[in-house]
Amino acid sequence: MRKILFLSLLLMVLSQISVCAQRDSGVVPFEDRLWYGAGLTGNFFGNGITSNVQVGIAPMVGYKLTDNLSFGPRISALVSFYKTQFVAGQIERINPMDWSVGLFSRYRIAREFFAQAEYAFQNEAFIFTDASGLRVDREVNNAFWIGGGYSARLGNQLGLEMSLNYYLNQPFDDFRNPLNYRFGINYRF
C-alpha cells in the first residue's frame, strides 16, 4: 500500500514536469521559481530527576513546477540537552543530535492550505542508562511522511506555516506518536 502511494506521488510529480515542459513561451527564470522555508523546534520536558531541552531547525528549498506544485530538499537537525541525576547523587549530561535529509513534494490546495508528501533518511538518537551511566543508541531508517498544513501570509512574500504529518512506515516496535506537528516560516511560497 505504501509503495503504491509513493509511486502514485512520483507519477504525479513526473506528469506535472511534463505539463510544465509543454507550456507556451512564458519562461520563468529558475531563481523566480524557488521558495524557502524553515521549521523551528523547541521542546522541554522533565521532572525532579531528569530534564531534556531540545532545539532544532529544518530548512527546505522548494522549486515550483507550477503555481501549485513544488518539490525540493529538506534537512533537519535536533540537539538534545539531556541531564539526569542518579540514585547515588551523581549528575550526568549527554547531548546527542538527530538528523535527517530528504525530499518533499508540496501541493497548494488553496491559497492557505497545502498537502505534502516527504521521504527522509533519518538518523535518530535514543538515550538510555546502563550500569556505567548514560548512553546513546542510534537508529537509521527510511521514513515516508504524508500530511497537510496551513500557511498564513505576513505581507507580500513572508509567511508562517503549521502542518500535521503522519509517519507512514513507522517501525512496528516504535511506540512514539506517528503524528508530527511542525511550525515554521516560509519565503515566496
Side-chain angles (χ1 to χ4, degrees), residues 13-32:
V13 169
L14 293 175
S15 69
Q16 288 295 324
I17 291 171
S18 169
V19 168
C20 289
Q22 296 172 6
R23 281 199 171 164
D24 54 341
S25 62
V27 176
V28 177
F30 178 80
E31 59 274 1
D32 289 347

Side-chain angles (χ1 to χ4, degrees), residues 1-14 144:
M1 172 67 177
R2 292 180 185 134
K3 289 180 182 179
I4 292 171
L5 183 62
F6 180 71
L7 289 174
S8 298
L9 177 66
L10 183 62
L11 288 173
M12 180 180 76
V13 169
L14 293 175
F144 293 96

Side-chain angles (χ1 to χ4, degrees), residues 116-118 145-148 163-167 178-182:
Q116 181 166 312
E118 179 179 325
W145 297 86
I146 190 163
S163 65
L164 178 63
N165 299 281
Y166 182 78
Y167 190 177
L179 294 175
N180 180 261
Y181 308 94
R182 297 179 184 171

Side-chain angles (χ1 to χ4, degrees), residues 49-164:
I49 299 169
T50 300
S51 67
N52 190 7
V53 176
Q54 295 179 315
V55 179
I57 188 165
M60 60 196 307
V61 177
Y63 177 78
K64 295 179 185 176
L65 292 172
T66 68
D67 289 339
N68 294 332
L69 181 66
S70 58
F71 74 97
R74 179 180 185 274
I75 61 173
S76 70
L78 178 73
V79 179
S80 295
F81 300 92
Y82 188 87
K83 179 179 92 171
T84 193
Q85 182 175 356
F86 290 98
V87 177
Q90 81 267 23
I91 295 175
E92 284 197 33
R93 293 175 173 83
I94 195 165
N95 302 332
M97 184 173 83
D98 296 354
W99 61 269
S100 72
V101 60
L103 296 172
F104 72 91
S105 177
R106 183 179 280 190
Y107 186 79
R108 184 187 301 269
I109 299 167
R111 181 179 170 116
E112 297 89 8
F113 297 99
F114 62 88
Q116 181 166 312
E118 179 179 325
Y119 161 78
F121 176 79
Q122 299 180 155
N123 187 313
E124 297 178 293
F126 293 93
I127 301 168
F128 67 96
T129 59
D130 64 12
S132 60
L134 288 177
R135 298 288 174 254
V136 173
D137 190 19
R138 293 213 158 266
E139 184 175 299
V140 176
N141 57 36
N142 294 302
F144 293 96
W145 297 86
I146 190 163
Y150 176 81
S151 179
R153 298 234 176 183
L154 298 175
N156 198 22
Q157 296 185 344
L158 190 63
L160 295 177
E161 65 182 42
M162 59 183 174
S163 65
L164 178 63

